[in-house]
Amino acid sequence: KTNKNPLSVLRQAVRGVTPDVVTQTKRVGGSTYRVPIEVAPAEGKALAIRWLLSACRKCSGRSTALRLSDELMDAARNSGSAIRKKEETHKVAEANKAFSHFR
């Protein structure tokens, strides 16, 4: 559909969805905190692929191949559900930056 190399679109989509930081739940005393931690590159790519697949599974009506291709093209264009998930994760990590000393 885009007349581009499909492999480059896939790489661009995964690179765009890969998160830099995630939050991990940590229990300190009697309270539970969401502590932001940096993500290793391999783990980030795994999360990106998982988010892309879950985003394409949420849509319905067409075959999985078409839904996945649409989600990949959206991610390559910096839009779509998987990109929203990454931005939401970064926003939560930024909001909980005060708890980073609990690492």
Side-chain angles (χ1 to χ4, degrees):
K1 291 180 181 179
T2 60
N3 295 327
K4 290 183 181 177
N5 183 6
L7 194 57
S8 68
V9 172
L10 175 66
R11 282 188 185 130
Q12 188 176 358
V14 171
R15 197 177 308 121
V17 178
T18 303
D20 299 326
V21 289
V22 294
T23 56
Q24 188 176 30
T25 306
K26 194 88 163 183
R27 189 166 171 85
V28 178
S31 304
T32 304
Y33 300 106
R34 302 211 43 198
V35 179
I37 57 168
E38 291 184 9
V39 179
E43 185 183 353
K45 286 188 180 89
L47 270 173
I49 292 168
R50 198 175 310 145
W51 289 347
L52 283 165
L53 288 173
S54 68
C56 91
R57 286 182 185 134
K58 284 181 185 174
C59 301
S60 62
R62 295 180 304 174
S63 70
T64 305
L66 289 174
R67 292 184 305 200
L68 183 59
S69 68
D70 286 345
E71 190 61 42
L72 286 172
M73 289 191 321
D74 283 346
R77 288 190 215 115
N78 275 341
S79 62
S81 301
I83 294 288
R84 235 176 288 125
K85 174 81 171 170
K86 174 195 170 186
E87 290 170 353
E88 179 184 314
T89 303
H90 279 215
K91 205 177 291 182
V92 169
E94 183 71 27
N96 291 321
K97 194 191 292 187
F99 304 124
S100 63
H101 65 281
F102 288 130
R103 254 182 238 175

